[in-house]
Amino acid sequence: MAKTVADALELAKSVKMVDIRFTDLPGQWQHFTIPVRRFTAEFFEEGIPFDGSSIRGFQEIHESDMLLKPDPETVFIDPVANIPTLVVTCDVYDPITLQPYARDPRYVARKAEAYLKQTGIADTAYFGPEAEFFIFDNVRYGSTTHESFYYIDSEEGWWNSGRADRQNFGGQIQPKRGYFPVPPADTLSDVRSKIVMALEAAGVPMEVHHHEVATAGQAELGMRFTTLTRMADQLLTYKYIAKNVARQNGKTVTFMPKPLFGDNGSGMHVHSSLWKGDTNVFYDPSGYAGLSETAKYYIGGLLKHAPALLALTSPSTNSYRRLVPGFEAPVNLAYSQRNRSAICRIPVTKSSKAKRVEFRAPDPSSNPYLCFAAILMAGLDGIQNRIDPGSPQDKDLYDLPAEEAKLIKQVPGSLAEVLDALEADHEFLLKGDVFTTELLEAYIEYKRTMEVDPVRLRPTPYEFILYFDV
């Protein structure tokens, strides 16, 4: 990884091409590529123009000219490209005013970090997401006027245990039994190792990889925590490299939250902590679970704003196939140490440095810049307004008596509902001009018109099972 412009230019001496990357509003990396001879010190000063009219969530065609300025700290040599290629992540600017573009998600993340310092509460926010995904062998899908279907296959999928059209070795993973069998039941250990090695080569410090709970190749790779914007950069690298290494090994990766019926979905539990100098402001050895009063108020902010937060942390219609009450999903607006049935968990650790809050509702369909920034802003609002999270719930919230269960609030059950919640509750995001009204309006409009409405208008295959013979 480079740190300075000089470092980046030195690294470029070993490549032929430079890949220019930035992020659209929903959270996908976009790119174009230039010859390495164009990668100069002047390139960092002047940037490079591009047409933003076709980028999701960006300006209309009459204001489509935009400018990209590279961040030298993001530079790495692409470990999956066939032609030696340098990758650099860029910030988006207005080419006339030369001001950062308000709808650039990375700008939102950088503003969130700046606002944290302005509050005086802390200097640094550390984030550590656990992004789960599936590695499949075959995927087909389609939706037209008269047809809608999807088909998924995996060599280790439980449904292949009786397959007779070819040699079958058995040992497929049963639903909810994927945590953590050794090979040969875990067929993907080597693929995950290749992904981890590629990420390390790209400068992303990795800690662990393993099979996740679901059948059919669910996986998780553990990244070492880092600062908010940098972690969002690394999460996009994580997704890019996981997809490309899988493809190079004849497989395909999806970060879709709920691709399989009847088994676990893919979440992205997000760990965060606030630091002032060398002090973790979330730690107090005398507090509940080792939490400081500041940390409890941070949790209070997450719980209060959770319905609105989910529009940015769990932002797909498919997210709510995973976040379903009664199915071991993190839908309960409560906090607890160890307890995975609460939306906020306090991982057990005796280390003051490791004391953190885990927000369990997010999933990897989110834009990481917006997701992490929103979590931080909700937590800061809790601290600033001393929002009491109430008493912890140190019991299994999935198995409560009915009279107790109804006292525990739960998250909304659809993307449409959380978008309504965000529309009604977003003032906490506007502090410090971190999010802007214009960005949120564009985001909500995109989600409603391009995701909620198209799904709402289409019949699903299962509706034919329910209703064809009515």
Side-chain angles (χ1 to χ4, degrees):
M1 293 288 295
K3 291 296 182 184
T4 66
V5 172
D7 292 336
L9 296 177
E10 182 64 28
L11 206 57
K13 292 179 180 179
S14 61
V15 303
K16 302 293 185 183
M17 307 298 288
V18 176
D19 213 43
I20 310 300
R21 297 189 185 172
F22 63 98
T23 312
D24 65 12
L25 192 59
Q28 283 195 319
W29 246 354
Q30 309 295 312
H31 86 127
F32 55 88
T33 310
I34 61 173
V36 71
R37 63 175 170 76
R38 295 190 62 189
F39 195 65
T40 63
E42 291 73 25
F43 177 85
F44 281 90
E45 294 174 9
E46 299 170 3
I48 187 169
F50 77 104
D51 178 2
S53 61
S54 296
I55 302 301
R56 297 182 302 170
F58 281 17
Q59 294 285 27
E60 302 297 333
I61 192 134
H62 66 286
E63 295 180 325
S64 61
D65 289 335
M66 295 184 180
L67 186 71
L68 293 174
K69 287 194 173 183
D71 181 347
E73 293 191 13
T74 67
V75 169
F76 65 89
I77 294 177
D78 192 333
V80 296
N82 291 323
I83 295 171
T85 300
L86 200 72
V87 175
V88 60
T89 296
C90 297
D91 296 301
V92 185
Y93 284 76
D94 184 294
I96 298 175
T97 66
L98 298 182
Q99 294 300 305
Y101 178 46
R103 294 193 197 178
D104 177 13
R106 195 168 191 266
Y107 181 42
V108 174
R110 292 194 291 113
K111 286 191 291 182
E113 291 185 292
Y115 177 68
L116 171 63
K117 292 179 181 179
Q118 292 171 19
T119 66
I121 294 168
D123 305 317
T124 308
Y126 286 111
F127 277 74
E130 302 177 62
E132 300 165 344
F133 58 95
F134 280 88
I135 305 174
F136 293 135
D137 290 298
N138 190 19
V139 178
R140 294 183 286 113
Y141 49 85
S143 181
T144 64
T145 300
H146 72 290
E147 181 182 53
S148 183
F149 76 98
Y150 69 88
Y151 174 84
I152 295 168
D153 204 9
S154 164
E155 290 293 331
E156 64 176 48
W158 181 244
W159 53 86
N160 279 319
S161 61
R163 189 167 180 173
D165 61 331
R166 64 185 183 191
Q167 190 175 20
N168 194 335
F169 294 105
Q172 284 84 4
I173 294 173
Q174 296 180 46
K176 301 183 183 294
R177 292 285 300 276
Y179 202 80
F180 326 116
V182 298
D186 177 3
T187 66
L188 298 166
S189 185
D190 284 346
V191 173
R192 294 196 307 272
S193 288
K194 290 177 182 179
I195 296 171
V196 166
M197 289 189 293
L199 282 163
E200 289 261 334
V204 179
M206 303 300 294
E207 305 227 307
V208 67
H209 76 73
H210 59 83
H211 202 291
E212 258 297 340
V213 172
T215 187
Q218 192 180 35
E220 182 185 315
L221 320 176
M223 288 184 284
R224 180 170 176 77
F225 68 89
T226 188
T227 54
L228 189 155
T229 302
R230 185 69 199 119
M231 179 51 78
D233 293 338
Q234 290 187 174
L235 185 57
L236 291 180
T237 305
Y238 175 109
K239 294 173 77 170
Y240 167 77
I241 288 179
K243 290 177 181 180
N244 279 277
V245 171
R247 188 69 62 90
Q248 290 170 354
N249 284 269
K251 299 181 184 296
T252 188
V253 156
T254 181
F255 288 88
M256 184 177 176
K258 187 72 172 180
L260 295 181
F261 167 70
D263 211 336
N264 283 35
S266 293
M268 186 177 73
H269 307 151
V270 177
H271 299 252
S272 58
S273 62
L274 302 183
W275 288 67
K276 198 163 190 176
D278 295 329
T279 301
N280 182 355
V281 301
F282 278 7
Y283 179 68
D284 180 348
S286 64
Y288 168 78
L291 289 180
S292 67
E293 189 176 61
T294 297
K296 289 183 68 176
Y297 291 143
Y298 184 93
I299 292 170
L302 295 179
L303 297 183
K304 176 182 176 180
H305 297 297
L309 263 185
L310 263 61
L312 296 160
T313 68
S314 310
S316 68
T317 59
N318 187 250
S319 299
Y320 300 88
R321 313 297 189 208
R322 168 180 169 259
L323 295 175
V324 179
F327 288 88
E328 298 188 13
V331 297
N332 297 293
L333 294 177
Y335 73 102
S336 173
Q337 62 179 339
R338 306 183 73 175
N339 190 345
R340 284 171 166 76
S341 60
I343 200 169
C344 283
R345 187 177 77 95
I346 318 305
V348 175
T349 173
K350 294 182 179 179
S351 168
S352 62
K353 294 182 177 180
K355 187 55 61 180
R356 61 199 187 275
V357 172
E358 177 187 358
F359 189 53
R360 295 175 60 80
D363 67 57
S365 70
S366 61
N367 181 326
Y369 299 106
L370 303 183
C371 173
F372 301 159
I375 289 171
L376 175 61
M377 295 302 289
L380 291 178
D381 187 65
I383 296 168
Q384 291 164 329
N385 291 291
R386 302 175 69 86
I387 298 173
D388 185 356
S391 300
Q393 298 290 335
D394 291 329
K395 50 189 171 183
D396 186 354
L397 300 179
Y398 300 137
D399 194 31
L400 290 178
E403 62 274 12
E404 288 187 49
K406 67 182 181 182
L407 299 177
I408 306 292
K409 292 183 179 179
Q410 296 185 326
V411 301
S414 71
L415 179 58
E417 291 175 78
V418 297
L419 291 173
D420 290 345
L422 178 60
E423 212 164 38
D425 175 27
H426 59 263
E427 291 298 321
F428 70 99
L429 296 171
L430 303 180
K431 291 180 180 179
D433 198 37
V434 174
F435 286 78
T436 64
T437 301
E438 192 239 358
L439 180 145
L440 292 173
E441 288 175 349
Y443 180 88
I444 290 169
E445 180 184 12
Y446 177 86
K447 288 288 177 178
R448 282 177 175 158
T449 59
M450 302 304 293
E451 298 181 26
V452 173
D453 286 347
V455 171
R456 183 169 59 88
L457 290 169
R458 285 166 169 78
T460 67
Y462 198 72
E463 286 177 302
F464 282 80
I465 296 173
L466 293 174
Y467 307 124
F468 187 77
D469 62 348
V470 295

